[in-house]
Amino acid sequence: MKKLIAVVVLTVFTFVNVNAQSVAFKAGYTHSDVIVSPEPANIFTPKETFHVGIAIKDIKLTDKIGFQPEVLYSMQGFRIASIGNVGIHYLSVPLLITFPVTEGLELQVGPQISYMINSRVGVVNDLFSITYKGIFHSIDAGAVAGVEYKVSDNISLGGRYYLGMTDVNKDFSFGNNKNLSDYFQLRNTGIQAYVSFSFGKK
């Protein structure tokens, strides 16, 4: 699966680079959370994290509709009551369709697929942490929607919401043919705010 994602990313970015008007470096804040079903007594709370990466901008599909692929290092996660916190590190690839709303403002929507590169679990109120990838699935897939405003030719501000569509926790047997996902499911979600700096072709 990791090789397949790498091939897809390379193919997309090689193809669109021909028509790209600019490349943008972007970084910002992430308000990360999980949707838990069923909710176990509200013990899961949000975590403040970050994201950073690049976007290929201003690819025109039509006069009004654009395409913007991105590659981001994105940290998701959540806190577990007073026990500690979980940080899941992803390489995320949003594939966004863009629509102009007003001058300088555009709507962005599309799918996002993420590959987990690491995860850390902090315990005893984060007194110490351990690296452990075995508790979560490697792939997280979902959808993104947001807006971006062009402040100048090179600087843009944006915000978006991510909704995970897949259960990220792996199955662990608890006996009687019961697995972890038989008791509850976790889906990533989050709100991002960022600034991007464009350079290259215009």
Side-chain angles (χ1 to χ4, degrees):
M1 181 62 73
K2 180 167 63 173
K3 291 182 179 179
L4 176 60
I5 293 175
V7 170
V8 171
V9 171
L10 181 61
T11 301
V12 169
F13 274 77
T14 300
F15 174 77
V16 301
N17 188 52
V18 176
N19 297 315
Q21 297 302 303
S22 62
V23 176
F25 170 80
K26 57 183 301 184
Y29 158 84
T30 301
H31 178 80
S32 176
D33 204 354
V34 285
I35 297 174
V36 186
S37 178
E39 178 68 45
N42 296 317
I43 64 172
F44 294 88
T45 57
K47 178 177 180 177
E48 315 310 315
T49 64
F50 69 95
H51 63 282
V52 62
I54 60 171
I56 298 180
K57 303 174 69 69
D58 303 320
I59 302 165
K60 296 297 183 182
L61 299 180
T62 70
D63 288 342
K64 295 292 186 180
I65 300 175
F67 176 55
Q68 181 172 304
E70 301 178 358
V71 174
L72 306 174
Y73 170 79
S74 180
M75 186 173 175
Q76 292 289 132
F78 52 92
R79 296 189 178 277
I80 308 173
S82 60
I83 299 173
N85 79 88
V86 173
I88 313 174
H89 305 253
Y90 287 106
L91 182 66
S92 298
V93 182
L95 301 174
L96 306 175
I97 302 298
T98 64
F99 308 87
V101 179
T102 61
E103 182 67 30
L105 182 68
E106 68 178 18
L107 175 68
Q108 302 176 337
V109 295
Q112 175 176 297
I113 186 166
S114 301
Y115 177 76
M116 183 180 69
I117 55 179
N118 195 15
S119 66
R120 296 186 66 83
V121 180
V123 293
V124 193
N125 287 322
D126 301 332
L127 184 61
F128 64 93
S129 63
I130 57 174
T131 298
Y132 184 55
K133 295 173 64 176
I135 196 171
F136 301 111
H137 286 295
S138 296
I139 301 299
D140 178 41
V144 173
V147 294
E148 184 172 290
Y149 180 71
K150 183 177 288 187
V151 178
S152 68
D153 287 341
N154 301 103
I155 300 175
S156 297
L157 302 176
R160 67 180 54 164
Y161 174 71
Y162 172 73
L163 177 63
M165 302 297 185
T166 56
D167 183 13
V168 298
N169 60 330
K170 277 187 176 180
D171 283 338
F172 290 90
S173 176
F174 288 92
N176 298 321
N177 296 318
K178 291 290 186 179
N179 292 310
L180 183 63
S181 60
D182 294 325
Y183 294 95
F184 66 92
Q185 292 78 45
L186 297 176
R187 289 187 295 144
N188 284 320
T189 185
I191 299 172
Q192 295 180 336
Y194 62 87
V195 59
S196 71
F197 302 91
S198 300
F199 55 92
K201 294 185 292 183
K202 294 293 183 182

